Amino acid sequence: MAVKLSLVVPCYNEEATLADIIDRVMTLKSDNLQLEIIIVDDCSKDRSREIAAKLAAQHPEIVLAAHEVNQGKGAALRTGFIKATGDFVGVQDADMEYNPQDYLTMLEPLIDNRADVVFGSRYLKPDTRRVLYFWHSWMNKFLTFSSNMFTNLDITDMETCYKLFRREVIQTIAPKLKENRFGFEPEVTAYIAEAQVRVYECAVSYNPRSYEEGKKIGWRDGVHALYCILHYGACNAPLPMQILLYFFIGATAALVNLLVFAVLIKTCQMPLYWATGISYAASAAANYFLCIAILFRHKARWSTAGELAAYLLTLMIMGGIDYLVTWALVKWLHAPLWGKILASIVGFFGNYFLRRNLVFPLRKK
């Protein structure tokens, strides 16, 4: 029985290679494999849209979509994923770095019902290859390693272009996606891990192009990808990783508390009780915004108002516990320093527990 493969082709200023890569994709078509090629022109400034229109007129398999404002690769992929009608949906860049014939191998575990998502890895097997940028390759491997720590997936190439999905999997994930540029890769990987679907890898060939030849990804995209790994993956990361991140958040919030307090006392000559209250509020605000930026999902279950109310409740609860633990040890053991140390330890884990389970709980599936 024939299956249908939808390939989404995000395109921005690729007039030099678009027609050639479509010709190579068309060779996949056979009696057993139907094709749907969705070209999404992301407001190209060259002749890419004109070329895409001519290709669509020549091949009924091609669907053309267009953005009137340049939004980025991630946005183009979202547009294509939603339009896809195939049994399986993959990504095909409009350049010549990847070989579409590798999709025949990647389809096998999906057709055999062994996998729901297949990554095409550039690092699985030694092969002849074009040698280009050491730091680019190193960054890819570092980002994959970092992503694996948070998703608990043991993959070798998170940043690969070649990702192949069952249509129902990617169309469930697509409405959640927010990244418009290359942050798509760690973001979609985090959602794949969260969905707990079956993931396979297949070796693929790779012929990288240089920046002079049109390569667009840069070091800023690498830095943003690291942020995306934290932002989208941390909420489902293994518990030790979450606690480690919360330690960083707590330490940063404590530093904000001290700095604001010092400024208000030394520079502004503010009364002690006002300086203490304002610095504590600044610390709590820093903690909250770092939590939603790095560790937990903003409005995961509650509305914004409900989330803030739950956060204020945790401050009241942990403030009361801090006072009671400190007061009890001072009164009974006459050990104020140890009382404060123990209260701080209880406060750290208590704050983490309440933020995870009360303030930012994930939606029930």
Side-chain angles (χ1 to χ4, degrees):
M1 184 177 69
V3 298
K4 185 176 181 180
L5 172 64
S6 296
L7 290 179
V8 180
V9 183
C11 177
Y12 178 67
N13 293 348
E14 298 289 2
E15 65 178 8
T17 57
L18 179 58
D20 289 339
I21 195 61
I22 294 301
D23 285 344
R24 294 180 70 179
V25 170
M26 290 299 298
T27 64
L28 296 176
K29 186 178 176 181
S30 69
D31 292 340
N32 296 321
L33 183 61
Q34 300 174 13
L35 282 181
E36 178 182 56
I37 304 170
I38 305 170
I39 303 175
V40 184
D41 182 76
D42 194 29
C43 194
S44 294
K45 306 302 182 185
D46 61 5
R47 296 177 55 251
S48 293
R49 187 175 300 190
E50 176 187 340
I51 293 170
K54 289 181 179 178
L55 291 168
Q58 296 169 7
H59 302 287
E61 296 87 357
I62 294 178
V63 177
L64 181 59
H67 291 169
E68 298 308 317
V69 177
N70 179 255
Q71 299 178 54
K73 179 180 179 179
L77 289 174
R78 286 199 302 273
T79 297
F81 291 152
I82 293 169
K83 287 181 173 292
T85 62
D87 301 295
F88 310 111
V89 183
V91 179
Q92 174 64 59
D93 280 351
D95 54 45
M96 303 289 285
E97 290 189 327
Y98 291 81
N99 182 1
Q101 289 295 315
D102 287 326
Y103 267 118
L104 298 178
T105 304
M106 292 174 64
L107 278 166
E108 291 177 5
L110 290 163
I111 294 173
D112 294 343
N113 198 28
R114 289 179 284 130
D116 301 302
V117 177
V118 179
F119 282 64
S121 174
R122 296 164 289 180
Y123 306 120
L124 266 182
K125 66 177 182 180
D127 202 346
T128 57
R129 65 187 182 95
R130 181 181 182 183
V131 176
L132 275 178
Y133 306 114
F134 166 79
W135 287 109
H136 183 79
S137 295
W138 181 88
M139 180 60 73
N140 280 342
K141 293 177 182 179
F142 171 74
L143 291 173
T144 296
F145 175 77
S146 301
S147 175
N148 287 347
M149 286 198 301
F150 287 94
T151 62
N152 206 24
L153 293 175
D154 183 24
I155 60 179
T156 62
D157 192 5
M158 178 272 295
E159 287 283 336
T160 180
C161 162
Y162 268 18
K163 294 179 175 71
L164 185 58
F165 313 86
R166 293 190 184 276
R167 177 166 54 86
E168 57 270 24
V169 171
I170 191 56
Q171 289 189 340
T172 299
I173 291 173
K176 306 175 187 177
L177 298 174
K178 296 182 176 63
E179 292 299 315
N180 285 339
R181 282 181 55 79
F182 299 99
F184 161 81
E185 312 294 356
E187 181 188 21
V188 77
T189 303
Y191 282 120
I192 288 168
E194 182 180 328
Q196 297 182 346
V197 296
R198 298 167 298 173
V199 181
Y200 266 58
E201 279 191 309
C202 291
V204 297
S205 55
Y206 181 58
N207 181 36
R209 59 178 176 173
S210 67
Y211 289 105
E212 292 75 20
E213 294 167 327
K215 195 172 192 67
K216 298 178 179 71
I217 194 168
W219 68 268
R220 292 182 181 86
D221 296 298
V223 173
H224 185 69
L226 187 58
Y227 163 77
C228 290
I229 289 169
L230 297 175
H231 184 65
Y232 297 107
C235 60
N236 288 306
L239 188 62
M241 294 301 302
Q242 287 197 358
I243 290 176
L244 184 63
L245 281 176
Y246 189 72
F247 180 82
F248 165 77
I249 291 170
T252 303
L255 182 61
V256 169
N257 194 337
L258 289 173
L259 291 174
V260 172
F261 181 80
V263 169
L264 294 178
I265 289 291
K266 297 293 185 181
T267 305
C268 302
Q269 302 296 312
M270 187 173 287
L272 180 62
Y273 58 88
W274 279 110
T276 302
I278 293 173
S279 60
Y280 181 75
S283 173
N287 185 291
Y288 174 76
F289 286 112
L290 285 171
C291 279
I292 63 177
I294 297 176
L295 185 52
F296 300 115
R297 284 197 188 143
H298 183 40
K299 295 189 293 186
R301 186 180 298 176
W302 317 125
S303 64
T304 300
E307 187 176 277
L308 287 171
Y311 187 74
L312 292 173
L313 179 61
T314 66
L315 295 181
M316 295 170 60
I317 292 172
M318 294 314 303
I321 291 174
D322 180 86
Y323 175 80
L324 289 174
V325 171
T326 304
W327 176 83
L329 289 179
V330 169
K331 183 175 178 63
W332 295 336
L333 301 179
H334 303 287
L337 179 60
W338 284 107
K340 195 59 185 173
I341 290 174
L342 181 59
S344 298
I345 295 173
V346 171
F348 173 82
F349 288 101
N351 274 305
Y352 169 75
F353 176 83
L354 288 175
R355 281 157 175 73
R356 183 185 186 193
N357 296 287
L358 176 62
V359 185
F360 305 104
L362 293 176
R363 293 185 186 277
K364 294 180 180 180
K365 296 180 180 179

